[in-house]
Amino acid sequence: MRKKILLLSGGLVLSLALGGCSASPPKGDGLIHVVASTNVYGDIARQIGGDRVTVTSIISDPSQDPHSYEADAQVQLSLSKADVVIQNGGGYDSFVDSLLKGANNPKVVLLNASTISGYDQKPASGEFNEHLWYDFPTVKKVVSKLVSTFTTEEPSRAGTFAANASRFTGALGLLQAAEATLRSSSAGEGVAITEPVPLYMLDAVGLVNKTPGKFSEAIEAGTDVSPVILRQTLALFSDRAVKLLAYNDQTSSPETKRVLAAAQKAGVAVVPVRETLPAGKDYLEWMTDTLASITAALK
């Protein structure tokens, strides 16, 4: 089990409309009830559905680990009343499947981002990277599914959903253009990671992950890193083999602290990455900030 330590002050306390998990409104309110496994997908659903949806996000606290999450009765109640449920899939939030089995809600529509992505979940080249919200082509596909699903639920608002999606995907298109621009100048540069969280974005800008696979796998799984693998990882910074370290600042361990210290000592830029929304930011703002940080680190 991974141990996540909140390193940012304040924590996330979001209202139901913004994705916080709290008491669900009663049915019959004329809204589409959406439950998302994390506030990342909850925010995307909110931006597409606008005032026609109410969103409950199960994971909104950065200290909660989707891989080992244990739901309470309130979550089960929200799922029993949901019209639409959004999960990441790929083993990231499998608790959703278990909870839905006991929710007695046969009419619910389940949207699974891993299935929607079309990616092989067991590629020959390695394990499936489930952190799909860093992959803009997948997010566009999820948005398209949300539009069609919301339109089926409320046909009279089809134009509203389509317009919201157009604005959202337009912003995603600008982010993809920024990735392409960065790729033209920085493709082939080496990077290090503590976990595979941002790899879709790093791949999109042409960066090469130099981190020993056994290091990031151990950190993600919460297991010990062998001394040999740790030395190889630390050498990336002293040898100037990488231009930046993408550091999951929602997870801390003695090994990641040593990696962070080694990067800082060597003058290697550190780009913080996350698995849930930062306080006060929506999905598009968060991704824009992350890509801007990567761009600045590569200059």
Side-chain angles (χ1 to χ4, degrees):
M1 181 184 299
R2 290 190 296 172
K3 295 180 180 178
K4 293 202 168 187
I5 300 176
L6 178 60
L7 301 180
L8 301 179
S9 63
L12 290 175
V13 182
L14 302 181
S15 68
L16 181 67
L18 292 179
C21 189
S22 57
S24 299
K27 295 289 265 186
D29 55 11
L31 300 176
I32 301 171
H33 289 235
V34 179
V35 175
S37 63
T38 73
N39 62 3
V40 177
Y41 292 106
D43 180 73
I44 294 170
R46 178 187 61 80
Q47 293 199 53
I48 304 308
D51 63 4
R52 302 313 305 157
V53 303
T54 180
V55 179
T56 300
S57 293
I58 299 173
I59 303 288
S60 58
D61 184 342
S63 66
Q64 293 174 310
D65 183 359
H67 293 274
S68 56
Y69 178 75
E70 294 183 7
D72 57 21
Q74 186 60 59
V75 171
Q76 189 78 55
L77 177 62
S78 296
L79 287 168
S80 71
K81 295 181 177 181
D83 300 302
V84 180
V85 171
I86 312 168
Q87 71 175 146
N88 184 81
Y92 187 77
D93 45 13
S94 54
F95 64 86
V96 171
D97 299 310
S98 300
L99 290 171
L100 278 176
K101 289 179 181 178
N104 192 27
N105 188 357
K107 295 183 179 180
V108 68
V109 177
L110 176 62
L111 302 182
N112 182 304
S114 293
T115 301
I116 292 168
S117 73
Y119 297 153
D120 183 354
Q121 296 190 19
K122 293 182 179 180
S125 59
E127 292 187 3
F128 174 68
N129 180 8
E130 69 268 31
H131 304 96
L132 289 162
W133 56 94
Y134 279 91
D135 181 61
F136 298 142
T138 292
V139 175
K140 283 185 173 180
K141 291 179 181 180
V142 170
V143 167
S144 179
K145 285 290 186 180
L146 285 170
V147 171
S148 60
T149 301
F150 291 165
T151 298
T152 298
E153 294 287 334
E154 192 171 354
S156 65
R157 295 303 180 103
T160 298
F161 302 140
N164 291 345
S166 179
R167 286 191 293 269
F168 190 93
T169 57
L172 284 179
L174 293 177
L175 286 170
Q176 288 180 289
E179 286 180 330
T181 298
L182 187 56
R183 186 182 186 94
S184 67
S185 62
S186 300
E189 294 283 4
V191 296
I193 62 171
T194 55
E195 296 185 55
V197 174
L199 281 182
Y200 284 111
M201 181 177 284
L202 298 179
D203 289 343
V205 300
L207 304 181
V208 179
N209 177 25
K210 299 287 188 178
T211 316
K214 291 183 178 180
F215 177 84
S216 54
E217 290 168 8
I219 296 302
E220 187 172 37
T223 58
D224 292 334
V225 179
S226 75
V228 172
I229 295 299
L230 182 57
R231 284 196 299 271
Q232 292 174 355
T233 304
L234 295 175
L236 294 173
F237 308 104
S238 58
D239 294 345
R240 307 295 297 183
V242 296
K243 291 289 292 290
L244 68 86
L245 166 66
Y247 185 88
N248 186 350
D249 69 357
Q250 291 178 255
T251 302
S252 178
S253 71
E255 293 90 351
T256 61
K257 288 179 179 178
R258 289 188 64 182
V259 166
L260 178 61
Q264 293 170 334
K265 180 180 180 180
V268 173
V270 177
V271 175
V273 295
R274 302 173 53 87
E275 298 187 53
T276 55
L277 292 178
K281 300 284 185 179
D282 66 22
Y283 172 80
L284 292 171
E285 292 168 334
W286 173 35
M287 290 293 109
T288 298
D289 290 349
T290 302
L291 188 53
S293 296
I294 293 172
T295 301
L298 292 171
K299 290 183 178 178

